[in-house]
Amino acid sequence: MTFLTILLSSLAVAASPPAIKYHDAHFGSILTTPKMQALYYWRVEKRAGGKIRCTGSCARVWPPLYAKGAVPMHVAGIRGTFGSIRRPDGRRQVTFNGLAVYTYVHEGPRQVLCNNVNGWFVVRLR
């Protein structure tokens, strides 16, 4: 393999979007994983300036969306900025507009069961 081939293949992997836009009948356009699981943010972390507060048992019920490689800042068709934050365990978690995003362990694809439950909100897109 040539250097150019290796470089182009690594860029293709790095450019994989961490999330996609999905239109939910009730909530409109929301952010989901590529497997269509709704993504949430926690108001507690928003009030803490984006610092990670969901760890331990919280993270077992609200699994973080972990970053796999480089996270692109922008994803086509989604207004907002992606990034990552280092969790207390050292792993990197995907952020959207500065807030860490999570799934809910008891939800399947295309479900939104916990909007406005204990400070958790589905990520709505404009």
Side-chain angles (χ1 to χ4, degrees):
M1 289 173 68
T2 67
F3 175 74
L4 183 58
T5 304
I6 294 169
L7 178 64
L8 290 175
S9 65
S10 68
L11 288 175
V13 170
S16 296
I20 60 173
K21 181 196 274 191
Y22 170 71
H23 186 80
D24 179 79
H26 182 73
F27 295 102
S29 294
I30 63 170
L31 201 60
T32 70
T33 68
K35 293 182 178 181
M36 307 296 276
Q37 274 199 283
L39 289 170
Y40 294 85
Y41 72 90
W42 195 23
R43 186 173 41 209
V44 169
E45 292 180 344
K46 186 174 185 175
R47 289 182 179 158
K51 293 180 182 167
I52 298 294
R53 297 289 189 247
C54 183
T55 61
S57 61
C58 175
R60 284 189 287 282
V61 176
W62 295 94
L65 178 59
Y66 290 110
K68 295 176 181 148
V71 176
M73 283 185 65
H74 301 285
V75 172
I78 299 176
R79 292 175 64 189
T81 305
F82 289 92
S84 65
I85 188 171
R86 187 138 330 259
R87 293 185 53 80
D89 65 5
R91 295 178 74 182
R92 289 183 322 109
Q93 182 175 354
V94 174
T95 61
F96 183 68
N97 291 338
L99 294 174
V101 292
Y102 301 82
T103 58
Y104 178 57
V105 74
H106 299 292
E107 278 182 356
R110 297 176 183 88
Q111 288 185 308
V112 178
L113 303 177
C114 291
N115 186 62
N116 198 15
V117 174
N118 296 325
W120 290 93
F121 294 88
V122 70
V123 180
R124 292 173 131 171
L125 301 172
R126 303 203 187 303

